[in-house]
Amino acid sequence: MTADPADAVLTFGEALLKLTLPAAQRLESMSALGAECAGSELNVAAALRALGRPAAWASALPPGPLGDWASAHVRALDVRDLSLERPGRLGTFYLEDHHPPRPSRALYDRQGTAFQTLDATDLDPAWLRGCAALHVSGISLSLGPGPRALALALMEQARAQGVRVSFDVNHRRLLLPAADAADTYGSAVRHADLIFVAQRDLGLLGGLPGLRALNPHALIVVTRGAQGSEAHRPGGGVVVQEGVIAAGPGRIGRGDAFAGGFLHAWLGGAGAAGALRFASACAALKTTLPGDQLRASEAEVWAVLEGGEHGEPRR
Amino acid sequence: MTADPADAVLTFGEALLKLTLPAAQRLESMSALGAECAGSELNVAAALRALGRPAAWASALPPGPLGDWASAHVRALDVRDLSLERPGRLGTFYLEDHHPPRPSRALYDRQGTAFQTLDATDLDPAWLRGCAALHVSGISLSLGPGPRALALALMEQARAQGVRVSFDVNHRRLLLPAADAADTYGSAVRHADLIFVAQRDLGLLGGLPGLRALNPHALIVVTRGAQGSEAHRPGGGVVVQEGVIAAGPGRIGRGDAFAGGFLHAWLGGAGAAGALRFASACAALKTTLPGDQLRASEAEVWAVLEGGEHGEPRR
Amino acid sequence: MTADPADAVLTFGEALLKLTLPAAQRLESMSALGAECAGSELNVAAALRALGRPAAWASALPPGPLGDWASAHVRALDVRDLSLERPGRLGTFYLEDHHPPRPSRALYDRQGTAFQTLDATDLDPAWLRGCAALHVSGISLSLGPGPRALALALMEQARAQGVRVSFDVNHRRLLLPAADAADTYGSAVRHADLIFVAQRDLGLLGGLPGLRALNPHALIVVTRGAQGSEAHRPGGGVVVQEGVIAAGPGRIGRGDAFAGGFLHAWLGGAGAAGALRFASACAALKTTLPGDQLRASEAEVWAVLEGGEHGEPRR
Amino acid sequence: MTADPADAVLTFGEALLKLTLPAAQRLESMSALGAECAGSELNVAAALRALGRPAAWASALPPGPLGDWASAHVRALDVRDLSLERPGRLGTFYLEDHHPPRPSRALYDRQGTAFQTLDATDLDPAWLRGCAALHVSGISLSLGPGPRALALALMEQARAQGVRVSFDVNHRRLLLPAADAADTYGSAVRHADLIFVAQRDLGLLGGLPGLRALNPHALIVVTRGAQGSEAHRPGGGVVVQEGVIAAGPGRIGRGDAFAGGFLHAWLGGAGAAGALRFASACAALKTTLPGDQLRASEAEVWAVLEGGEHGEPRR
Amino acid sequence: MTADPADAVLTFGEALLKLTLPAAQRLESMSALGAECAGSELNVAAALRALGRPAAWASALPPGPLGDWASAHVRALDVRDLSLERPGRLGTFYLEDHHPPRPSRALYDRQGTAFQTLDATDLDPAWLRGCAALHVSGISLSLGPGPRALALALMEQARAQGVRVSFDVNHRRLLLPAADAADTYGSAVRHADLIFVAQRDLGLLGGLPGLRALNPHALIVVTRGAQGSEAHRPGGGVVVQEGVIAAGPGRIGRGDAFAGGFLHAWLGGAGAAGALRFASACAALKTTLPGDQLRASEAEVWAVLEGGEHGEPRR
Amino acid sequence: MTADPADAVLTFGEALLKLTLPAAQRLESMSALGAECAGSELNVAAALRALGRPAAWASALPPGPLGDWASAHVRALDVRDLSLERPGRLGTFYLEDHHPPRPSRALYDRQGTAFQTLDATDLDPAWLRGCAALHVSGISLSLGPGPRALALALMEQARAQGVRVSFDVNHRRLLLPAADAADTYGSAVRHADLIFVAQRDLGLLGGLPGLRALNPHALIVVTRGAQGSEAHRPGGGVVVQEGVIAAGPGRIGRGDAFAGGFLHAWLGGAGAAGALRFASACAALKTTLPGDQLRASEAEVWAVLEGGEHGEPRR
C-alpha cells in the first residue's frame, strides 16, 4: 500500500466493547456473548486503512486489561492509536441482531466512560500533523460537553491548518433527544467541508434546506441505506447513486464503511459521483462481513464495481 | 404485566426433549445436538405468559434429572407447573432443519413416556381454578387412550364450569394414521368453543362443512401458514387475514404462537378480526426466534402491527 | 422436597452479570464471553433451595431485558424473587480463571447499579413472613449507604421477630478499603446469631477476640478454604472440620455453598459439628460444578459424606 | 441398497484437507477452521454410493495421521478405498465462503502432494474389475504429468475393456492457465463417452463445435449452475433442463453431485433427459448440505422431483 | 497392518447413542449434548482393529437415519459391520462426567431397542468364519432373554468350531439386579476360555473360588482399575500387573480397551503376563482420549511400555 | 512502559500457522482446528514486548491473506514487523496435545516456505539500529542454507556493532538429524554472548565441555524444564535455579518465554542469578496460558516471585 503518508486521515471518537448475541437470540436468554471492538469513528479509520490510506484515531481508553484489549484491536487494524489513558469505564453495549419483522436493538451501557472525561484541554496539536482530513461524528458530540468541546476544537484547528473536515451526523436516538439535535450538531455542521447525513435524520436539522442554510459551502451526502445515496453540491447540483445489492451479517458499520470509502476516493481526487459510487461498493462489502469494520482492499472494491460472477468461488 | 389472575389459561399436553441438529445437517452425520424443551401446549402457555397473561400447564414428567430439567425450563418461562410425577421416559425427538428443496424432518422417540401413563383419574379439580380458558391439542389425543380420556374429562369439566375450551387439531402424521383422525379428534371438536385447524388437515374432518357439522357453535380458525388465516363464525361470517412476512430460524412453534396470540386477544375482548391480526403478528415474531416458544411482549406485537423500520437496529 | 415452608430463608444482596472467559484466557485477548447470573446472597438462596428448603431473595433489578434475564435465572433456581424494579444498571464483572501461579482476577464494573438505589425505606415487612432465618453478607454493606441501611434495617426487623440472623463478612478488597472494614461491618456483626468469616479477613475485625468482643453471643464460623473450617461457640468451645478434597471448575461460590449448607443443617437442628461437616461437603460439591450456584440435593451431600467410589461412573 | 455390484463406478482423483472458515469470515482474521475431506472425484464416488451404487476411488495418500484421517473419511462414505500410500503431503486448501457481492475464494496449498507422485506405472489392472464406468476430471490432468499419464492410461484400459468413460472438464483457473487447457484436456476429451463441461469453460475447448470436433461420439452435458443444463447428443439432438431451485450452505460440490446423479441414472438406463432431470435434483439436494459430498438416497431425489410441501417439517 | 485375516475376532453386543454433557455439567442444566457411538463389545472390536487385527461386530440396528449413523461410525472404525436391521429404537444413554467427589453418572434410556428383538434364530453361521475368537460381555446377557439366547448360541457354536471364547462379566448395576447376576452370567462363564471380571463384581459370582468352581479351565483376569490387574491361571498360578499411570478424559471404555489389548496380545501368542502388561498400556492410552474407543497402534502401545519422555511434545 | 527504545531486541525466525486440535484429540479424527501464529523467535520478541521492552522481528512472509493474517498477529503483539514479502508458502504445523502417557506430537508441513527463500543478501543494515541485542535460534539454522547464511550474517553484524548476541540451540528432531547438529549450530554458538540449551540437547554439542570449548566467553544457560535451570559463567561459576511450579495448557512456548524473560532481566542489568530467577517465573506464567506467546507484565512476574495466595481470585 503506497498512499502518501501526508494523506492520512484522523478520526476522533469513542471505542466500545460490543457484546453480541448469536443471530436471532434475545438478551433475556443470553448465555454467551461475542466481544468486538466498535466505534463509528474507529470504523471509519479502519476502512480508510484497509483501502490503503494511513489513518489515526484520537480517543481515550481506561488503564487496565479492557483498555489494553481495545489497543491491541486498534493495532491489529493497523490504525495509529493516539488514544489517551484516562480514568473511567470502557463503555459497552449489547446488540441483538434479529430477522424481520423483529427489530434489532442496541442496549447501551456507556455511563462514566473514560472518553467522557475528555475536554478541549486534551487537544494535542501534533494529532493533525500529516493529515489531509479530520473525521468526526455526531456520536462524539452527544456524549457530553467535554467530548463535544474537544471535537469542535479539533475541527477548528483543522480548518485553521487547511485540513479538510468531514462530519457524519450519525444521530443516535438512544443517546440524544431529537429536540437537542440542532443545538448539539449545529457548530460541527458549520465547520464541515463534507457532511454525511441519513435521510431519516434530515428532519432534525431542518431538512436539506435547513442543513444548507447552516453550511452553504459543504458537499452534503445523504444516505438512504439500500435505497442508495445522493451528493448535493454547494452550488445546487445533485448526484444520485443506487445502492449495491448485498447480503450478509454486517449491517452494523455500513454507514462507517460508506463514509470511509467516500473519504478515500474523494481525497484521492474522485468527484462526488465517483466517490459515491466507490462508497456504495464499500458499504456493500461491509454488509458481507461480521464485525463492525470494513475489510476490503481498493482492488476488491473495484472488482465489485466492475461486476463479475459471484455465484462461483474463485478456484 | 397486569392481566387479571382470573384470566389465566390452562393448557394440557406433553413436554419433550427436542434434540436439534445444526441447520442443514443430517442425523447420519450428527456429532452435537442442541437440547430444547418443546411441546405444543407448553408453547401455547409460554406465548400467553410472555404476552402478560397468567398461564398454567398440566402434564406428567418422570422423576430424576430429565424431569427436573423440564421443570426448570417451565419455571424459567414463568408458566405455572402443574405436572404430575409419573414413571416412564421423557419423550424425545430429533429435528433436522433443512433448506429447500430438502424437507425438514422430525424423528420421534416417544414410546413409553410418563405422559402416556396419565388417565382420567389423574384429573385434579383445582387445575381449572381461576382459569378463563382451557387449551388442548390433537397431539394429546393421539398419544393413547389414557391421555385422551384425561383431555376429554378436562374439557367436560371446563364446559361445566363455564371455562372456554380451545382445541387445536394439530394433526401429526407420524403419530396418528389419517384414517383414525375423525374418531380421535371428534369428541374434542364437539366440546370446543374455539377450534384451530390447518388447511392441510381440514380434509381429515370432512372439510369445513364436516367440521361445522360436528360443532355448529364454535369459532373455527383455519391457518394456512405464510398464506394467512381465516376465522369462520358460527353464523357463517368469514374474516380473512394475510400472513405477516417474516424470516428466521423459528418455523417450529409458529402455530402455537398463533394460537397463544389468538387466545390472548380473544380472551381480552378482541373480535375474530382483531384476534386473527394479533395472532398473525405473534406467528411472525415466533419465526424470528430459535427454540419453540414465542418470546414477545404485547407491546412488541403491537409494534409489528403498526409497522415501522426493520432494516436499522434501534440505537 | 418436603421442608416446612415456615423454615424458609431470606437472603438480601445484589445480582450481577458475570462475564467469564474461557479457562486460562486473559481479557486482553477476549473474543467470547460466557454470561452467568451471580451474587453471593443469591448463591446462598440457591444452595438452600437445592437442598430442599424454601428460599427467597430480596434485591433490586433494572427494568428491561437485562433485569428480565436475571429474573428468569432466579425462577429457574426455584428461588422466590422478591426483587424490586429500580432504575440503574445491572452490574457486571469480568472473571479470568487461571492456573497457578497466575492469580485469577475479577474486574468489577458495578457503578450506578439499580441495587445501589435501595435504602431503608424500601423495606417490605412481608419479606420475612414465614422465614426462619435472614442471611446478609458484607458485600451488600460495601455497596453504599442505601443498601447498608436497608440490610441493617432488615437485620433489626428479623431480630425483633425472632428470625435468626446470619452474616457472612465476605470482604471484597476491590470494593472496600481494609481501613473501612470495621466501621462498615460492625453493626451487622453485632446483629448476627451466626457469623461466617474467612481466616484471611479476621484481621480486619481485630481477629477472633475482636470479633467475639463485638458479638459475645453468636456462633462464629471461620473458613480456611481447602484447609477446613472451625466453629467457635459463644461459650468458648471450638469444633474443627477438615476440608473435603474436591476438584473442578467451580472455585467461585464455594463459600456461598458452604454458608448455604451450614444454614440448612443448622436450621434443621444439627449442631455446630454436624453443620460444619455438612457445609464442607456442600463446598466440595460446588467445586465440581461450573457457575456460581450449588446444585446438589441433600441426598447427594450425604452420599459424599458417606464416601464411596468416585472413580467409576454409576451405570 | 440392491444395485448390482457389477455396476460399480471407479473414480480417480486427489483428496484434500479442506480448511473452512465460518461463513462470511476472511482468512485475515481466522482463529478457527473446519476440517473436511474434499476432492471432486471422491465427491462423485460418494454421490454414487449414497444413491445406492457401488463406488470405488483410486488415488494416493501419504502415510501417517493425515492419510489415515482421509481413509477413515472414505470408509465412512462407504466408498471402496483403492488409494495407494505414497510419500508427500496431503494437499490442503482454505475456503472463504462469502455473501454477495464479495466473491468466495479458495486458496490452494497443494504443492508436493502424495498424489502428484503417481504415474502410469501405478495402474493396477484390478481397479476396473466389476466396473460399469470410470470417472475422471480435469483437475487430475492439471496436477502434473504423472497423474495425467495415469488418468489417460486408466481411460485407455477402460475403453479396451468396454467400461464407459466419463470426463468432467472441471477447469480450475488457479491450477492451470487457460492457454494450456486444450492441450491438457484434449486426450481425455477424445477418450470419453460422456463429457461434463461448465458453460464458462466451453471457450477453453473451442466452444461446443470445438468439443464436438474433438469427440464426435460422446454425450456432452453442459452445465450452467442455477440456470440449468443441456445434453447434446452425438447426432445433434439437444435436451434442456431447468435448474431446481435450492438454498443452503453447499454450493461447493454441486457439480460433482450433478455428475454423480447423471452417471447413476444414465448407467441405470435413463436417457439423456431423465438423467439430466435426476442430476438437477441431486445438485439441488447438495446445495442444502454443508460439506462437499451429496448425502441423499434415490428415494429422496425422487421426492424432490415429485414436488411436495417443503415449508413444513415432516412430523 | 499385516495380521492374518484368519485371526479375526468377532464381538457381539448393542451399540448406543451416547449423549454426553460438557465436563462437570449436570443434566438439569443441559443445553447441548455430544453424540457418540458407544457399546462395550463394539469398543473391544475397535481396539482390536486399531491394534492391527481384523475385527467384526454382530448386532442389530434400526432402519433409518439413526441406524445409518451408527453404521457409518462402525465403518469409520474399520470394523466389519455384521449388524442386522431390526425394528425398534436405537438405545441412548446420557452421561454426566464429574470431578470428585461428585460421582459421574449414566442415565440409560434403552427400552424397546432393535437389539432386544434378537434371539437365537438370528444366528448366522457365517459370522464366525475366519475368526480366532469370540468376545461377549454380560451387558448383552442382561438385555433380555432373546439377546441372551443368541449370545449363548454363538458361544456354543464357537466352542464347537474351536474358536476361543472370551467373556467379560461387565456387570451394570442399572441393568441387572445383583441377585440375578449368578443366574444370568452363569452359562456364559462356563463357556469361556478367557474371563474378565472387575474386582468389585467378583462377589456376584461367589468370589474367585466361586468363579473357578463354575469354570475350572478358563484364564481369569481380574481388573482393579488404576490399582492394576491379575491373571489367574487354571492351574492356580497368579500373575500381577500394576496399572499404568494415565490422565485424561477417557475413563469410559478403559475396560474395553484393556480387554481388546489382552485379546490381541494373547491371540498373538503372548502369555498371561505379557498380555496383562500390553492390556494395561492399552487402558492407559484409552484414558488419554475422548470417546469410548481406543485409538492406538501396536507401536504406540509398545512406546508406552518402553517408557520415554512425555512432558515434551515430539517435534 | 518506559524502557529506553535503544534497548530494543531484534529476533530473526520463521512464523508458522499452528493448527491445533482440541486437547486430547488425534489428527485421525479431526473436524475442527484452532489457528494460531507461532514461531520461536517471534515468541521471544512477544515476551520481551509484553515485559515492556521494544522488540522487532525480521522474517519473511508470503503475499496474500495468510501473510496478512500473520502480520496482523505481529501488530497485535506490538512487535515491530520487519518481515520481507517473499514468494512461497506460509508453513504450517499440526499439534496434538495429549495427556500422559500418550506423547503430544507435532506434524510439520513447512516445505517451500517464503522464509526458506531468504539468504544473506536480504540483510538490511537498518534492522539492528537501536538494538541492544539480537536473538536467533537453531530452528532458523535448520531450515536451509539461505536462512542459515542470513542468520549468521546478522550475528556477525551484531558483533561488529557491539550488539549482544543471544542464541538458543532449540534443536528440533523432526527438522534436523542429530548427526548434523554440531555442524549446523557450530558457527552460531561461536558468535553468541548468551547461549540457551536444553539439557537433552547438550549431547549434540559435546556436552557442556564441548559447548564451552566452542565458545569460551559466553554465558551458557542450561534448561531442564520443570527441573529448573543453570547458568554457567565463562569463568566457571554455576548458578542453579529451581523451576517454578505451574499448571495449565501452555507447555508450548515455555522455553521462548524463559529466553525472553532472561534477556529482559539480563539486558536490564540483572546478574545470572537474577535473570534465571526472573526467567523461571516467565516460563511458569507462560505455562498458564493458551497460545505460544507469553502475556505478562514485569509487575506480574515480580508478583509470582514474591509469592502470595493463588487459590482465591483477586476480587
Side-chain angles (χ1 to χ4, degrees), chain D residues 12 118-121 123 140-141 144-156:
Chain D
F12 168 72
L118 291 175
D119 64 29
T121 65
L123 197 156
S140 298
L141 304 178
R148 184 158 58 240
L150 179 48
L152 294 174
L154 256 175
M155 288 172 129
E156 281 163 21

Side-chain angles (χ1 to χ4, degrees), chain B residues 17 30-31 33 35 69 89 109, chain E residues 30-31 33 35 69 89 109:
Chain B
L17 165 57
M30 71 176 160
S31 62
L33 295 162
W69 170 81
R89 300 177 57 227
D109 183 9
Chain E
M30 71 176 161
S31 62
L33 295 161
W69 170 80
R89 301 177 56 229
D109 183 8

Side-chain angles (χ1 to χ4, degrees), chain D residues 196-295:
Chain D
F196 299 95
V197 60
Q199 175 83 38
R200 68 174 177 276
D201 294 337
L202 264 181
L204 300 169
L205 296 159
L208 200 54
L211 199 56
R212 180 54 81 206
L214 279 169
N215 183 327
H217 67 274
L219 181 61
I220 300 177
V221 177
V222 179
T223 58
R224 287 175 292 139
Q227 275 69 53
S229 52
E230 298 166 355
H232 296 262
R233 296 211 183 82
V238 183
V239 183
V240 176
Q241 169 69 39
E242 289 194 347
V244 173
I245 293 171
R251 288 185 300 176
I252 305 290
R254 277 181 304 187
D256 302 326
F258 184 97
F262 192 97
L263 270 166
H264 180 63
W266 190 61
L267 293 174
L276 271 191
R277 200 164 160 258
F278 191 88
S280 298
C282 289
L285 283 168
K286 173 63 205 64
T287 308
T288 67
L289 296 177
D292 281 22
Q293 287 103 26
L294 174 66
R295 305 202 181 220

Side-chain angles (χ1 to χ4, degrees), chain B residues 17 19 27-36 64-66 68-69 72 88-90 92 94 96 105 107 109 111-112, chain E residues 17 19 27-36 64-66 68-69 72 88-90 92 94 96 105 107 109 111-112:
Chain B
L17 165 57
L19 296 163
L27 278 164
E28 285 84 347
S29 51
M30 71 176 160
S31 62
L33 295 162
E36 299 176 358
L66 293 179
D68 292 348
W69 170 81
R89 300 177 57 227
L90 179 71
T92 68
Y94 302 82
E96 289 182 8
R105 60 174 171 172
L107 185 74
D109 183 9
Q111 311 95 300
Chain E
L17 166 56
L19 295 164
L27 278 163
E28 284 85 346
S29 51
M30 71 176 161
S31 62
L33 295 161
E36 299 176 1
L66 293 178
D68 292 349
W69 170 80
R89 301 177 56 229
L90 180 70
T92 67
Y94 302 84
E96 289 182 7
R105 60 175 171 173
L107 186 73
D109 183 8
Q111 311 95 300

Side-chain angles (χ1 to χ4, degrees), chain B residues 142-159:
Chain B
S142 306
L143 289 171
R148 183 157 60 239
L150 179 48
L152 294 175
L154 256 174
M155 289 172 127
E156 281 163 21
Q157 190 200 337
R159 290 190 70 80

Side-chain angles (χ1 to χ4, degrees), chain F residues 45-299:
Chain F
L48 286 157
R49 187 69 200 103
L51 294 166
R53 182 174 295 275
W57 173 70
S59 188
L61 290 172
L66 293 179
D68 292 348
W69 170 82
S71 289
H73 195 87
V74 174
R75 279 199 307 275
L77 291 170
D78 207 12
V79 166
R80 203 166 149 228
D81 182 2
L82 299 175
S83 64
L84 305 172
E85 186 176 303
R86 289 289 180 271
R89 301 176 57 228
L90 180 71
T92 68
F93 73 106
Y94 302 83
L95 186 77
E96 289 181 8
D97 185 19
H98 287 299
H99 298 268
R102 189 180 290 270
S104 291
R105 60 175 171 173
L107 186 73
Y108 289 115
D109 183 8
R110 60 198 300 179
Q111 310 95 300
T113 64
F115 185 82
Q116 291 169 36
T117 68
L118 291 174
D119 63 29
T121 65
D122 288 306
L123 197 156
D124 180 339
W127 285 347
L128 281 167
R129 198 176 299 152
C131 284
L134 166 72
H135 176 82
V136 173
S137 96
I139 296 173
S140 298
L141 305 178
S142 305
L143 289 172
R148 183 157 58 238
L150 179 48
L152 294 174
L154 256 174
M155 288 172 127
E156 280 163 21
Q157 189 200 337
R159 290 191 68 81
Q161 297 181 358
V163 170
R164 290 205 252 186
V165 173
S166 163
F167 176 65
D168 184 352
V169 174
N170 218 359
H171 178 65
R172 290 285 183 265
R173 286 174 283 172
L174 302 181
L175 291 183
L176 192 77
D180 297 348
D183 273 5
T184 304
Y185 306 139
S187 301
V189 163
R190 275 184 289 265
H191 285 316
D193 299 294
L194 175 63
I195 298 172
F196 298 96
V197 60
Q199 176 83 37
R200 68 171 178 276
D201 293 337
L202 264 181
L204 300 170
L205 296 159
L208 199 54
L211 199 56
R212 181 53 80 207
L214 279 169
N215 183 326
H217 66 274
L219 180 60
I220 300 177
V221 177
V222 180
T223 58
R224 287 175 293 139
Q227 276 68 53
S229 52
E230 299 167 355
H232 295 261
R233 298 212 182 82
V238 184
V239 183
V240 176
Q241 169 69 39
E242 288 194 348
V244 173
I245 292 172
R251 287 184 301 174
I252 305 290
R254 277 180 306 186
D256 301 327
F258 183 96
F262 192 97
L263 270 166
H264 181 63
W266 189 61
L267 294 173
L276 271 191
R277 199 163 161 259
F278 191 88
S280 298
C282 289
L285 282 167
K286 172 64 203 64
T287 308
T288 68
L289 297 177
D292 281 22
Q293 286 103 26
L294 175 66
R295 305 202 181 220
S297 67
E298 203 180 292

Side-chain angles (χ1 to χ4, degrees), chain C residues 48-140:
Chain C
L48 287 157
R49 186 70 199 100
L51 294 167
R53 182 175 294 276
W57 173 70
S59 188
L61 290 172
L66 293 179
D68 292 348
W69 170 82
S71 290
H73 195 87
V74 175
R75 278 199 307 274
L77 292 169
D78 208 13
V79 166
R80 203 166 149 225
D81 182 2
L82 299 174
S83 64
L84 305 171
E85 186 176 302
R86 288 289 180 273
R89 301 177 58 228
L90 179 70
T92 68
F93 73 106
Y94 302 83
L95 186 77
E96 289 181 9
D97 184 20
H98 287 299
H99 298 268
R102 189 181 290 271
S104 292
R105 61 175 170 173
L107 186 74
Y108 288 115
D109 183 8
R110 61 198 299 179
Q111 311 96 299
T113 63
F115 185 82
Q116 291 169 35
T117 67
L118 291 175
D119 64 29
T121 65
D122 288 307
L123 197 156
D124 180 339
W127 284 347
L128 281 167
R129 198 175 299 151
C131 284
L134 165 72
H135 176 83
V136 173
S137 97
I139 296 174
S140 298

